[in-house]
């Protein structure tokens, strides 16, 4: 009998398999995290003055990633980025259907976040054109890059940055890591460092969902250049996911399901205790019977020796009145 492959969304410490959330709660967590990251990543530079801002926009975005992963990462795994989800898929840690649903939820959350920011801009009397204001935080290359970076440079940086982020995520969120904050802190700091570099080149987000949210509400040129910020991070994520799968030997979801259907390994009894012969095994039964007999005999002998060697209790008050103690 075959079963569907297990969805290994729980790279971050979270509930056991028996208490694993369903797909809908996980999609809600992904949408919320993507919305939070988009609002922080676009809103801070959009509504702050760089010269007087107490918190750099890149650091704010990195802190938002950490906070979102700590808040709902135990529910969905804390991807919040289609590139990270693709990396998990190619590393064999999530099923294709769930990965596609994750990407849709992440895109929806990012678009809602961008819509909220765009609506706020529309209410500000000092901003005549909200789309032009969004242009200042939208990813771009050529004349729309701060340093006039060509498309080749932007492509290379997006591929490299996404590969680093996915590699850090997959490594920090590996099973057996001590502490529940390892992955959120590592991924958040990595995002902050790379976003600082990306802003200097052309507001590179290393996140297709966030790039889409900013492009939709910007001028027409943003959608024309959007393909770069969709293809490049996905390519970097694919490289990182495949490398992790090759070097760590992470099993594919189908292989994990097949392994789960295998009968209990030899030497496992009905209670699932490893290293103990099965109850129906004659050598194991004889060994346990002999061990029990030896334990019983040694226990009885120990009790007999203890009874023979144990001294009679001393009544100090009686000895005092009999004159044995002064």
């Amino acid at each position: 009998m075959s079963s569907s492959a297990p969805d290994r969304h729980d790279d971050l410490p979270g509930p056991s398999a028996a208490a694993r959330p369903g797909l809908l709660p996980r999609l809600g967590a992904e949408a919320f995290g993507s919305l939070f990251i988009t609002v922080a990543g676009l809103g801070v530079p959009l509504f702050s003055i760089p010269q007087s801002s107490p918190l750099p926009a890149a650091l704010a975005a990195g802190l938002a990633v950490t906070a979102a992963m700590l808040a709902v990462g135990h529910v969905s795994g804390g991807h919040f980025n289609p590139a990270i989800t693709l990396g998990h898929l190619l590393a064999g840690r999530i099923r294709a259907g769930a990965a596609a649903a994750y990407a849709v939820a992440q895109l929806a959350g990012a678009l809602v976040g961008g819509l909220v920011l765009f609506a706020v801009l529309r209410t500000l009397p000092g901003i005549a054109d909200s789309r032009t204001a969004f242009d200042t935080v939208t990813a771009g290359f050529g004349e729309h890059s701060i340093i006039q970076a060509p498309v080749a440079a932007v492509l290379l940086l997006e591929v490299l940055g996404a590969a680093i982020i996915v590699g850090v995520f997959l490594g920090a969120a590996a099973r057996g890591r001590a502490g529940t904050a390892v992955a959120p802190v590592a991924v958040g700091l990595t995002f902050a460092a790379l976003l600082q570099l990306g802003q200097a080149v052309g507001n590179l987000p290393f996140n297709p969902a966030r790039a889409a949210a900013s492009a939709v509400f910007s001028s027409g040129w943003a959608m024309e250049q959007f393909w770069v910020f969709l293809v490049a991070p996905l390519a970097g994520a694919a490289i990182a996911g495949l490398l992790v799968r090759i070097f760590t030997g992470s099993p594919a979801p189908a292989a994990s399901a097949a392994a789960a259907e295998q009968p209990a390994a030899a030497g496992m009894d009905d209670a699932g205790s490893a290293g103990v012969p099965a109850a129906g095994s004659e050598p194991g039964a004889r060994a346990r019977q002999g061990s029990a007999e030896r334990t019983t005999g040694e226990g009885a002998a120990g009790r007999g020796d203890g009874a023979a060697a144990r001294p009679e209790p001393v009544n100090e008050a009686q000895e005092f009145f009999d004159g044995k103690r002064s």
Side-chain angles (χ1 to χ4, degrees), residues 58-59 61-66 69 168 182-193 195:
L59 181 57
L63 291 176
V65 171
T66 298
M69 291 179 70
V168 169
V182 172
V185 172
V187 175
L189 291 176
T190 303
F191 256 111
L195 287 174

Side-chain angles (χ1 to χ4, degrees), residues 25-309:
R26 285 184 282 155
L27 296 181
E30 286 296 308
F32 167 77
S34 184
L35 183 151
F36 182 16
I37 292 172
T38 300
V39 169
L42 297 178
V44 171
L46 195 58
F47 295 106
S48 63
I49 302 175
Q51 292 77 10
S52 61
S53 177
L55 186 66
L59 181 57
L63 291 176
V65 171
T66 298
M69 291 179 70
L70 288 173
V72 296
H74 64 282
V75 178
S76 64
H79 299 183
F80 315 137
N81 185 338
I84 292 178
T85 299
L86 178 62
H88 275 71
L89 174 64
L90 296 180
R93 300 188 182 182
I94 189 174
R95 293 179 298 176
Y102 268 39
V104 173
Q106 293 155 2
L107 179 60
L111 290 175
V112 171
L115 178 61
V116 171
L117 294 176
F118 185 77
V120 172
L121 286 174
R122 296 291 297 270
T123 64
L124 300 179
I127 298 180
D129 188 354
S130 300
R131 292 189 176 275
T132 302
F134 244 95
D135 290 347
T136 61
V137 295
T138 300
F141 56 86
E143 62 178 343
H144 302 291
S145 167
I146 298 175
I147 60 173
Q148 305 293 312
V151 62
V154 172
L155 274 170
L156 181 60
L157 284 176
E158 276 278 333
V159 170
L160 178 62
I164 291 173
I165 290 170
V166 172
V168 169
F169 194 112
L170 293 174
R175 294 175 183 270
R177 290 285 185 182
T180 59
V182 172
V185 172
V187 175
L189 291 176
T190 303
F191 256 111
L194 291 173
L195 287 174
Q196 185 66 36
L197 171 63
Q199 284 183 346
V201 175
N203 293 322
L204 309 186
F206 310 105
N207 184 338
R210 176 181 154 179
S214 60
V216 166
F217 299 103
S218 298
S219 302
W221 64 264
M223 288 303 299
E224 296 174 359
Q225 297 188 356
F226 170 67
W227 67 271
V228 173
F229 307 100
L230 172 66
V231 174
L234 293 180
I239 294 172
L242 290 175
L243 288 177
V244 168
R245 184 168 183 173
I246 291 171
F247 289 109
T248 64
S250 298
S256 300
E261 293 178 359
Q262 293 292 334
M268 297 287 288
D269 61 11
D270 293 338
S273 300
V276 180
S281 173
E282 183 178 353
R286 286 200 301 267
R288 283 196 298 275
Q289 181 178 0
S291 176
E293 290 174 356
R294 287 195 300 272
T295 303
T296 303
E298 292 171 1
R303 288 193 297 271
D305 294 343

